Amino acid sequence: MRPLGAQAELLRVLGHPVRLQILEELTKGVKCVSDLEEFLEIPQSNVSQHLSLLRRYGLIDYYMDGRLRCYYLVDPIIPDLLHVLKRDYPEQLPPPACCPVTKKGRYPGKRRH
Amino acid sequence: MRPLGAQAELLRVLGHPVRLQILEELTKGVKCVSDLEEFLEIPQSNVSQHLSLLRRYGLIDYYMDGRLRCYYLVDPIIPDLLHVLKRDYPEQLPPPACCPVTKKGRYPGKRRH
DNA sequence: CTCATATATTAGAATATTATCATATTTTAA
DNA sequence: TTAAAATATGATAATATTCTAATATATGAG
């Protein structure tokens, strides 16, 4: 299991709409920068910046194919995380059972919002 | 499925070691602020700030029990995401099969790193 | 070799996040 | 009603993130 700091870092890196879309695309297959540029409709330099960030954190890598840089997924947790994100969930978890006791609290009754 | 922006936002909110630990604790059961303060060993005001952020994004809620605020999980995706984060994975995904073709690229051979 | 294509890098401004510290609020107990 | 406990809020400084624009680099074609 990766250490806590690395878990948080991973989520922070994923927590950007452009990077999420890039990773989603890469789960479908290898893509070069200009594929992604066209798909994302943002400036090429910005695409490159996001790709370079994703690579710095070890989530993706690339190989050269002619003059194209072909990016692909490297971190196996990505597809699983994306899958969970796309699942449908009931609105809310059921509220905790009546009067659970926290470590500190022993207060009876008078429970309200 | 929640919209892309909301997905990214969710991950960004999760992407902090303190908030990850708070959520992890809350998957085990209801906790009041001072429980968390003791567990996290950071200033109470900082705990409250993280809790308030988590609540603003609808991930947790609380009820009052005497003078304690008892926080609990509300968003059902949280346990699933935490579970994936804790799974063990092989080092890397297998590299893409030989010579995949990107949308743009049709280049043969000369593939290298 | 030179050029065009594909992509990366850098600098900078705008904005967002975070922790700290001080203070305020709320609630129960005395 | 006052005090103490539990928790929240606000201001601020430090830091990090993000996008834009301009420029640099690398590669294959001719």
Side-chain angles (χ1 to χ4, degrees):
Chain A
M1 191 178 82
R2 71 189 86 201
L4 178 69
Q7 291 181 23
E9 192 172 70
L10 169 64
L11 294 173
R12 214 165 10 91
V13 169
L14 292 199
H16 187 289
V18 166
R19 292 196 289 270
L20 269 186
Q21 284 182 288
I22 289 175
L23 293 171
E24 181 69 37
E25 280 302 290
L26 293 188
T27 61
K28 300 179 193 161
V30 175
K31 294 280 180 304
C32 72
V33 179
S34 39
D35 289 341
L36 293 168
E37 181 187 357
E38 177 184 329
F39 174 74
L40 296 166
E41 300 182 295
I42 62 175
Q44 172 268 317
S45 71
N46 200 3
V47 177
S48 276
Q49 285 167 334
H50 286 295
L51 287 170
S52 134
L53 180 68
L54 290 170
R55 182 160 183 271
R56 180 162 58 243
Y57 285 101
L59 304 192
I60 66 179
D61 202 359
Y62 67 87
Y63 60 83
M64 298 295 298
D65 181 9
R67 59 179 101 172
L68 304 181
R69 251 183 219 213
C70 300
Y71 281 92
Y72 57 91
L73 278 189
V74 154
D75 191 322
I77 203 177
I78 302 298
D80 284 359
L81 283 175
L82 296 183
H83 178 251
V84 170
L85 274 179
K86 286 190 291 187
R87 281 225 276 278
D88 274 322
Y89 285 91
E91 281 307 298
Q92 295 208 328
L93 285 171
C98 178
C99 308
V101 175
T102 65
K103 194 166 169 198
K104 179 129 187 191
R106 304 280 158 202
Y107 297 80
K110 277 198 190 152
R111 182 178 150 182
R112 68 194 169 290
H113 269 274
Chain B
M1 191 178 82
R2 72 188 85 199
L4 178 69
Q7 291 180 23
E9 192 173 69
L10 170 64
L11 294 173
R12 218 168 3 94
V13 170
L14 292 199
H16 187 289
V18 166
R19 293 195 289 271
L20 268 185
Q21 284 180 289
I22 289 175
L23 293 171
E24 182 69 36
E25 280 302 290
L26 293 187
T27 61
K28 300 178 193 160
V30 175
K31 294 280 180 305
C32 72
V33 179
S34 39
D35 289 341
L36 294 168
E37 181 186 359
E38 177 184 330
F39 174 74
L40 296 165
E41 300 182 295
I42 62 174
Q44 172 268 319
S45 71
N46 200 4
V47 177
S48 276
Q49 284 167 334
H50 286 296
L51 287 170
S52 132
L53 179 68
L54 290 170
R55 182 159 184 271
R56 179 162 58 236
Y57 285 102
L59 305 192
I60 66 179
D61 201 0
Y62 67 87
Y63 60 84
M64 298 295 299
D65 181 8
R67 59 179 100 172
L68 305 181
R69 253 184 218 213
C70 300
Y71 281 92
Y72 56 91
L73 278 189
V74 153
D75 190 322
I77 203 177
I78 303 298
D80 285 0
L81 283 175
L82 296 183
H83 178 251
V84 170
L85 275 179
K86 287 190 291 188
R87 281 226 275 278
D88 273 323
Y89 285 91
E91 281 307 298
Q92 295 208 326
L93 286 172
C98 177
C99 308
V101 175
T102 65
K103 194 166 167 197
K104 180 132 186 187
R106 304 282 157 198
Y107 298 80
K110 278 197 188 154
R111 181 178 149 180
R112 71 193 167 288
H113 272 272

